[in-house]
Amino acid sequence: MTPDLFADDAPLAGARTPLGAQAVVLRGLALDTVDALWAALQAVVAQAPFRHMLTPGGQTMSVPLTNCGALGWTSSRAGYRYRADDPDSGRPWPALPEAFARLAERAAAAAGFAGFAPDACLINHYATGTRLTLHQDRNERDFGHPIVSVSLGVPALFLWGGARRADPVRRVPLFHGDVAVWGGVDRLRFHGVAPIRAATHPLTGQARLNFTLRRAG
Ligand code: SIN
Ligand code: FE2
């Protein structure tokens, strides 16, 4: 497919796509800080490279991930859990970059969640054809805090479901610079990512990067 065709569909920066009573996509909110996010990401990945984790069932996850912040989300045969150290290196995860924390606070506030202070950031790297199956984010201690999800690079179709796995799923395109926020009554909505279509982005090449910022501890 032609990436430009997809890019033409990108909503105007500043637009809001409501997903629920307390969930919204803030279009292009990250665009004014992409350079800082990208530089910080390179520094994080130099210390804690992307890696393929195992699901509790023992399958290799198709989307490699890394983390920054005081806590990092991990998956292994032992289950899902947040931990303060990188299991590959034994060292603490890289600190949460200022640019990430500032954007998360700004996005959460714009979505109605003032004072959001994330302590964990999961970074997923999506290559062409990779996907994330429907799931809830429920490994955090307190569901009173929202999730802030930043998209960079090639577009994706975000799968936005309901409170139950079998509920209808909406397909919402997410573009470079978009920030989705969900919390409150929408905090435990099922969500995922459809297989990434082949495309190229000037910043990320053929990849999509997603950061989800959470208050986990
Ligand atoms: C996630 O659910 O952890 C990531 C969502 C996304 O990549 O947009
Ligand atoms: Fe998630």
Side-chain angles (χ1 to χ4, degrees):
M1 66 163 276
T2 317
D4 290 359
L5 271 184
F6 216 144
D8 284 348
D9 296 331
L12 235 44
R16 300 169 71 101
T17 303
L19 298 176
Q22 292 185 283
V24 65
V25 181
L26 304 163
R27 299 297 183 178
L29 190 79
L31 289 175
D32 63 1
T33 187
V34 162
D35 291 350
L37 297 177
W38 191 248
L41 173 69
Q42 305 315 311
V44 166
V45 170
Q47 291 173 257
F50 287 108
R51 79 292 303 271
H52 290 273
M53 291 192 175
L54 286 182
T55 66
Q59 283 177 312
T60 301
M61 297 176 70
S62 71
V63 174
L65 63 86
T66 187
N67 288 282
C68 54
L71 293 170
W73 185 88
T74 64
S75 179
S76 73
R77 285 179 186 279
Y80 304 126
R81 75 173 174 106
Y82 282 95
R83 41 191 296 169
D85 63 316
D86 175 344
D88 279 10
S89 68
R91 292 192 305 262
W93 297 105
L96 189 70
E98 266 297 309
F100 285 30
R102 266 202 302 271
L103 175 61
E105 202 263 327
R106 189 156 63 98
F113 303 98
F116 180 52
D119 60 6
C121 179
L122 166 64
I123 306 169
N124 284 323
H125 181 285
Y126 297 86
T128 304
T130 60
R131 61 198 284 255
L132 197 63
T133 53
L134 273 188
H135 66 277
Q136 294 169 297
D137 288 3
R138 53 180 321 142
N139 301 122
E140 299 72 31
R141 192 185 301 278
D142 177 358
F143 300 145
H145 302 289
I147 303 283
V148 173
S149 168
V150 181
S151 293
L152 294 183
V154 309
L157 278 178
F158 189 49
L159 306 175
W160 181 247
R164 285 167 303 271
R165 186 177 291 278
D167 285 344
V169 171
R170 196 170 138 195
R171 299 161 78 85
V172 181
L174 292 181
F175 298 94
H176 179 69
D178 288 349
V179 183
V181 182
W182 61 95
V185 297
D186 293 312
R187 176 61 178 73
L188 291 176
R189 296 280 287 261
F190 277 88
H191 60 280
V193 177
I196 300 290
R197 294 202 258 169
T200 304
H201 188 276
L203 182 65
T204 62
Q206 295 195 304
R208 170 177 187 257
L209 278 301
N210 177 265
F211 314 147
T212 44
L213 293 127
R214 300 102 183 262
R215 179 119 202 134

